[in-house]
Amino acid sequence: MHLRIKSYINEHIGENITLNDIASALHASKKTLNPAFKKEYKLTITQFIRQRKVAVAKELLIACE
C-alpha cells in the first residue's frame, strides 16, 4: 500500500494533494493510510508530500540556472 501512496504522490506532486484525495484514489480509509505509511517511512503522508514538493522545487531551480 505504501508504494501506491508514494506513486500517487509522485504522479500528482504539482497539485494540491490531500489525504482525502489519496484515500479516495486508493479506495482506502484515511485512518489506515497514515499509520501504515509512517511505520514504513517514519514520516506522515503530509510530511512526505512537503518533502517531495521541496525536492521538486529544488530540481526546478537548479534546472533554471
Side-chain angles (χ1 to χ4, degrees):
M1 176 66 75
H2 47 82
L3 294 176
R4 290 175 58 206
I5 296 168
K6 284 180 75 172
S7 177
Y8 180 89
I9 291 168
N10 288 327
E11 289 172 17
H12 296 88
I13 197 65
E15 303 168 19
N16 183 22
I17 306 167
T18 67
L19 192 52
N20 284 334
D21 297 332
I22 296 168
S24 179
L26 301 182
H27 307 289
S29 163
K30 291 189 301 184
K31 291 183 180 184
T32 61
L33 291 179
N34 234 359
F37 192 87
K38 188 167 184 174
K39 183 178 180 182
E40 182 69 24
Y41 297 107
K42 310 295 187 249
L43 295 169
T44 66
I45 292 172
T46 303
Q47 290 169 326
F48 180 78
I49 292 169
R50 280 192 205 117
Q51 191 178 67
R52 285 295 302 134
K53 284 186 179 280
V54 168
V56 169
K58 285 180 183 179
E59 291 170 13
L60 291 171
L61 287 171
I62 290 169
C64 289
E65 291 181 356

